[in-house]
Amino acid sequence: MSLATRNGTGSVDAPVNPPKVVRQRRVRPGLLGLAVLLIALGGLGAAFAVTSVRATGSYLAVARPVEVGREISSSDLVTVQVAGGQGLRPVPAGRLDEVIGKRAAVALVPGTLLTLGQVTDDPLLGPGQQQIALGLKTAQVPARELHPGDKVLLVSTPDDNATGETAAAGTRFSATVIDMVSPANDDKVLYLALTTRDVPAVVALAAQERIAVVLTEAA
């Protein structure tokens, strides 16, 4: 590029600015890999969410209270929709016919999902046995929870009106736990299978609040 001077000395070449060079940023391979990984994880998360939503099934739930040992009817159950259900093993609604007619192995509570472990084909009472229910205070229960099949010993406590050896003597009765429930007042109701000949004596002692329960064998 030329410029003209005032005194006519001719043109003088003016300096030319060099062109600007734009440097390209170098992309670190580690950051690029991290970005790809995050994108992949996001896609997997979205796929998992879609799968969880789609994994909705129809299962059986308890519609009304069912006592231990009672046969289950169709009116005792209701069909509910459950999404996901990982870790749960409820009975699918399609297996309703397999459940009807079976007995409740434990007390069934309304609003809970039904599992196969809560029903049984086996008789809860053996030959020569009858079922009784004992109302107990929490402190009278030998364990935080008693389970079906636990073996217990019922021991009569001393009579306040008795004296001498009669007061110290304790009668023992062997029984098997069928179920245990906790009413709203935080007491316990213990359902037991007891030999028929022992039932009258145990009922009389229970009415006098003279029964102690001892756990002898866990199921």
Side-chain angles (χ1 to χ4, degrees), residues 8-9 18 43 47 72 83 92 97 102 105 127 166 170 175 210:
T9 56
I72 300 173
D97 292 340
K102 290 188 176 182
T166 305
R210 294 179 51 212

Side-chain angles (χ1 to χ4, degrees), residues 8-86:
T9 56
S11 62
V12 178
D13 292 335
V16 178
N17 294 329
K20 293 183 178 180
V21 178
V22 179
R23 295 184 179 181
Q24 295 182 350
R25 294 183 178 180
R26 297 180 59 185
V27 179
R28 297 180 182 179
L31 294 178
L32 180 60
L34 179 60
V36 173
L37 178 61
L38 291 175
I39 294 173
L41 290 177
L44 289 176
F48 177 77
V50 172
T51 303
S52 299
V53 172
R54 290 179 178 175
T56 300
S58 298
Y59 299 96
L60 297 177
V62 181
R64 62 183 185 180
V66 180
E67 297 81 10
V68 179
R70 186 163 67 82
E71 287 191 3
I72 300 173
S73 64
S74 58
S75 58
D76 297 325
L77 304 174
V78 65
T79 300
V80 296
Q81 299 292 322
V82 178
Q86 288 82 0

Side-chain angles (χ1 to χ4, degrees), residues 139-161:
Q140 294 177 288
V141 181
R144 181 169 297 180
E145 290 291 339
L146 293 176
H147 303 91
D150 288 348
K151 304 295 183 182
V152 297
L153 196 65
L154 306 179
V155 182
S156 63
T157 57
D159 186 352
D160 294 337
N161 298 324

Side-chain angles (χ1 to χ4, degrees), residues 84-148:
Q86 288 82 0
L88 300 177
R89 294 186 178 181
V91 180
R95 301 181 64 178
L96 175 63
D97 292 340
E98 300 178 29
V99 176
I100 300 303
K102 290 188 176 182
R103 297 182 181 274
V106 297
L108 302 182
V109 181
T112 59
L113 293 174
L114 183 71
T115 65
L116 290 178
Q118 296 174 318
V119 300
T120 181
D121 285 325
D122 299 330
L124 299 179
L125 299 174
Q129 287 186 327
Q130 291 181 336
Q131 177 178 311
I132 66 170
L134 294 180
L136 303 171
K137 300 294 183 182
T138 303
Q140 294 177 288
V141 181
R144 181 169 297 180
E145 290 291 339
L146 293 176
H147 303 91

